[in-house]
Amino acid sequence: MPGRAGQDTYWQMKLREDRLQMRLDRLSEFTVPGRPWTRRAFTERYAAARDWLQNEMALAGLTTRVDAGGNLIGTLEGREPAHGILASGSHIDTVVDGGRYDGILGVVAALEAAQAIAESGKQPGHTIEVIDFLSEEPSDYGVSCVGSRAMSGNLPTDLLEYTNPSGERLGEAIRRAGGAPEKLEGPLRGKEELAGFLELHIEQGRVLESTGTQIGVVTNIVGIRRYEIVVTGRADHSGTTPMNLRQDALVGASRIVERVNAQARELQASNGYLVATVGKISVRPDAANAVPGEARLTLEVRSDSEDRLAGFLDPLLGWAEEAVCRQDALQIEVRRLSATHPTDCAEPIVDTLAASAAELGFSSMKMPSGAGHDAAHMARLCPTGMLFVPCLDGRSHCPEESITMEDALNGARVLTRALLALDGTAPKGAVPGKS
Ligand code: HGY
Ligand code: MN
Ligand code: MN
């Protein structure tokens, strides 16, 4: 249901559903055969998808480069470079067996917006950048949002030493992706460089669909802490080791999984939004006939409150000291993998997105994001906002994830309208939310 055309007609005419669809289809085809949709960062398939995308950016009239953080950036020059850059984008990597639209919609829609603006023949005042951030999903190196962390100066150099299961350092992987890890000691962009950042994403939940709302305007992005918990016992023969003599690490780990779930339920009920998940586990020796000697878990905690995030681990470890270490004769080691803070979107950007949706005749609602996003890191650099479109049955991070092209196009329209609104009203020094 596109609304009034009026003064926006010139770019709306250029926003092309067929091109948006073609790019979504082509990008999603870069997947591990038989495992839709799997395009893990740092793999050859991911590199091939990025080569394709870089070429599409060039065909759209953008100049392209890969920055030191391994981010692929397409640039449409503005009339007034001093006004700063309006940037938009997301990521094209997926979780294993993930969805078709998580990430790529935001990249493809940003490219469509930039191309429509370029083809409208009216050069924007601000330079517009389309960004495909490197490795947003938790990577095999234990770090997520690698590119947006690097860009915003939130990739401490010790994270570059993290290794994947084959022993490759994250820093080397970033170099393979075209980056320059030796340049990642501080933010890659100065605060004055960027006038604003917008990210379009699928909602990944059910709120928009269940309320029949076309556009979600994000007010806050959840904070996320991830920890690795290693439970160590003793590997033994499963047939010859009596039950009372075992130090089974997986049994201890399973108690921890249950406790994480119970503690999160209690806290959520009494304290407000907090979710906690053990979504990854590996066991050694990992054999049907061996008592597990080691179990490695990844614990992830999310909340919109820094205090709730900070308060989760200690009670869990206090409980584990007695229930797992003492009673089951196991050891536990914990390592913090990463932490992002709950992040508010910039109010003037929230207002611009809501106004853009209304001007185009779309229903919208303000809502928090329970998913993490590159936008949370970009908010360190410049006024940042996000918009959501509905996804079928709220499914995401699974192959069933689906959206309608109508919703995809609606999102691209609001994104483009908002970029133009910011372009028209946000010269340097008077950028909304920027002091
Ligand atoms: O993990 C997240 O919240 C995001 O989908 N990467
Ligand atoms: Mn995701
Ligand atoms: Mn995503």
Side-chain angles (χ1 to χ4, degrees):
M1 183 183 67
R4 296 197 312 267
Q7 58 171 349
D8 296 321
T9 306
Y10 76 90
W11 62 265
Q12 285 199 43
M13 300 281 288
K14 304 291 178 189
L15 210 61
R16 279 188 25 203
E17 180 174 350
D18 59 337
R19 202 162 51 191
L20 193 68
Q21 170 122 48
M22 177 276 287
R23 287 184 178 139
L24 289 170
D25 289 347
R26 290 292 302 279
L27 259 183
S28 60
E29 280 162 15
F30 290 93
T31 176
V32 175
R35 299 290 298 269
W37 308 92
T38 305
R39 185 172 47 261
R40 297 291 289 154
F42 303 111
T43 60
E44 282 179 22
R45 187 166 279 107
Y46 175 76
R50 288 191 121 194
D51 286 348
W52 180 85
L53 178 62
Q54 187 159 13
N55 191 48
E56 285 296 298
M57 287 177 169
L59 290 174
L62 310 184
T63 53
T64 66
R65 69 189 176 96
V66 175
D67 74 5
N71 301 300
L72 171 60
I73 302 174
T75 304
L76 175 67
E77 286 301 329
R79 287 189 318 274
E80 304 285 351
H83 284 183
I85 294 159
L86 287 170
S88 180
S90 193
H91 61 98
I92 68 160
D93 61 317
T94 69
V95 296
V96 173
D97 299 331
R100 264 190 106 180
Y101 302 97
D102 173 2
I104 70 173
L105 176 65
V107 176
V108 166
L111 176 53
E112 187 55 37
Q115 187 164 6
I117 292 169
E119 289 178 354
S120 74
K122 292 193 185 180
Q123 193 182 13
H126 293 71
T127 291
I128 293 180
E129 282 189 2
V130 177
I131 308 179
D132 165 28
F133 292 104
L134 178 65
S135 188
E136 190 270 354
E137 301 289 3
S139 65
D140 298 342
Y141 305 79
V143 187
S144 59
C145 296
V146 173
S148 50
R149 282 174 187 279
M151 193 178 281
S152 61
N154 192 21
L155 189 65
T157 46
D158 54 320
L159 298 195
L160 298 175
E161 302 303 318
Y162 284 17
T163 53
N164 70 358
S166 323
E168 184 186 41
R169 291 170 48 250
L170 177 61
E172 286 316 304
I174 292 173
R175 195 185 303 287
R176 274 199 295 111
E182 68 281 1
K183 294 187 181 153
L184 299 182
E185 281 191 358
L188 295 175
R189 314 301 289 261
K191 288 207 177 212
E192 292 304 306
E193 252 178 280
L194 288 159
F197 176 75
L198 302 180
E199 181 171 358
L200 168 65
H201 207 279
I202 60 166
E203 182 202 340
Q204 306 183 275
R206 275 169 238 187
V207 175
L208 293 176
E209 188 185 63
S210 64
T211 57
T213 309
Q214 290 166 301
I215 298 289
V217 178
V218 177
T219 50
N220 174 279
I221 303 168
V222 76
I224 306 177
R225 293 195 184 195
R226 295 199 179 104
Y227 306 89
E228 182 180 63
I229 303 179
V230 183
V231 184
T232 309
R234 200 178 109 146
D236 277 306
H237 193 292
S238 66
T240 59
T241 314
M243 299 309 285
N244 64 327
L245 294 182
R246 294 178 179 215
Q247 289 170 265
D248 186 329
L250 186 55
V251 170
S254 65
R255 288 198 219 289
I256 293 174
V257 174
E258 275 201 21
R259 180 70 188 179
V260 163
N261 188 276
Q263 188 174 306
R265 282 169 189 265
E266 278 163 31
L267 284 172
Q268 161 108 45
S270 61
N271 249 348
Y273 172 65
L274 176 139
V275 291
T277 309
V278 176
K280 193 168 153 77
I281 185 162
S282 64
V283 175
R284 282 194 193 163
D286 198 20
N289 57 358
V291 176
E294 181 189 280
R296 263 168 210 269
L297 322 179
T298 305
L299 165 64
E300 183 198 77
V301 188
R302 300 186 181 215
S303 178
D304 56 354
S305 147
E306 193 69 54
D307 287 349
R308 286 197 283 275
L309 283 174
F312 192 82
L313 190 65
D314 283 350
L316 178 74
L317 294 182
W319 166 88
E321 183 62 38
E322 171 62 26
V324 179
C325 300
R326 216 181 60 75
Q327 288 179 20
D328 292 347
L330 299 167
Q331 277 111 51
I332 291 180
E333 270 176 55
V334 181
R335 177 168 75 105
R336 185 152 108 178
L337 294 173
S338 63
T340 54
H341 304 294
T343 303
D344 287 333
C345 293
E347 251 178 65
I349 303 265
V350 170
D351 292 346
T352 300
L353 287 167
S356 299
E359 282 157 12
L360 292 170
F362 299 127
S363 56
S364 75
M365 65 186 289
K366 294 186 180 169
M367 60 192 299
S369 171
H373 295 288
D374 292 307
H377 296 281
M378 293 303 284
R380 296 163 70 107
L381 286 178
C382 63
T384 290
M386 288 195 77
L387 70 158
F388 284 164
V389 290
C391 56
L392 190 68
D393 204 20
R395 303 291 302 275
S396 188
H397 282 186
C398 57
E400 291 82 4
E401 182 186 282
S402 184
I403 60 173
T404 65
M405 270 316 293
E406 186 185 342
D407 283 328
L409 193 63
N410 291 351
R413 286 191 170 120
V414 177
L415 175 70
T416 312
R417 179 75 190 81
L419 283 170
L420 288 172
L422 293 171
D423 184 47
T425 59
K428 194 176 181 199
V431 174
K434 197 173 175 189
S435 53

